Amino acid sequence: QVQLVESGGGLVQPGGSLRLSCAVSGFTLDNFDIGWFRQIPGKEREKLSCISEIDGSTSYASSVKGRFTISKDKTKTPVYLQMNNLKSEDTAVYYCARLVGSCSLSVELDEYDYWGQGTMVTVSS
């Protein structure tokens, strides 16, 4: 049974850091790319980053490039999203998802076939 579970969210002050985890089961990370997304209530889900199963290459949205880092250790550890220098506009629910195709920020959302339930990140003084 395919399952993805996010964790690591919480309240953090501006300029602080958090590391989110995406624990996966029912499949191997050797066979699927994984993406991270975020969503503010009432707004569209935003693609943030993805990581390739072929060579470990990564892609980042301009809004998080240089601040966020995606990483994984095949089949052994969760997929991580390290978030540094957090800003108030980073406040959102963060999701991880399994990609049917290949990692690219141009890939449509419906190419991700399984999603976690999300973890809330609040950046506030």
Side-chain angles (χ1 to χ4, degrees):
Q1 182 175 332
V2 174
Q3 188 174 40
L4 298 88
V5 180
E6 303 92 341
S7 63
L11 176 64
V12 63
Q13 294 184 352
S17 298
L18 286 174
R19 188 180 73 169
L20 305 183
S21 297
C22 176
V24 305
S25 61
F27 67 98
T28 174
L29 294 177
D30 291 340
N31 297 328
F32 293 93
D33 295 355
I34 299 293
W36 279 97
F37 300 77
R38 67 185 178 191
Q39 187 169 27
I40 299 171
K43 297 185 179 297
E44 295 295 317
R45 193 162 294 186
E46 177 187 8
K47 291 177 281 187
L48 299 177
S49 181
C50 58
I51 186 165
S52 171
E53 88 284 0
I54 298 175
D55 57 7
S57 62
T58 57
S59 297
Y60 296 93
S62 297
S63 59
V64 303
K65 189 177 299 182
R67 298 190 297 123
F68 291 11
T69 303
I70 188 172
S71 63
K72 68 175 182 179
D73 189 2
K74 293 179 179 180
T75 72
K76 294 184 177 181
T77 61
V79 176
Y80 298 104
L81 185 69
Q82 178 67 45
M83 307 187 297
N84 298 325
N85 192 24
L86 285 162
K87 308 175 185 298
S88 59
E89 55 263 41
D90 295 319
T91 296
V93 178
Y94 284 73
Y95 300 88
C96 61
R98 191 179 80 169
L99 177 60
V100 175
S102 297
C103 175
S104 170
L105 294 184
S106 65
V107 172
E108 297 292 336
L109 291 178
D110 61 7
E111 294 198 41
Y112 289 85
D113 60 350
Y114 288 93
W115 294 78
Q117 296 302 305
T119 185
M120 182 69 196
V121 173
T122 303
V123 184
S124 176
S125 298

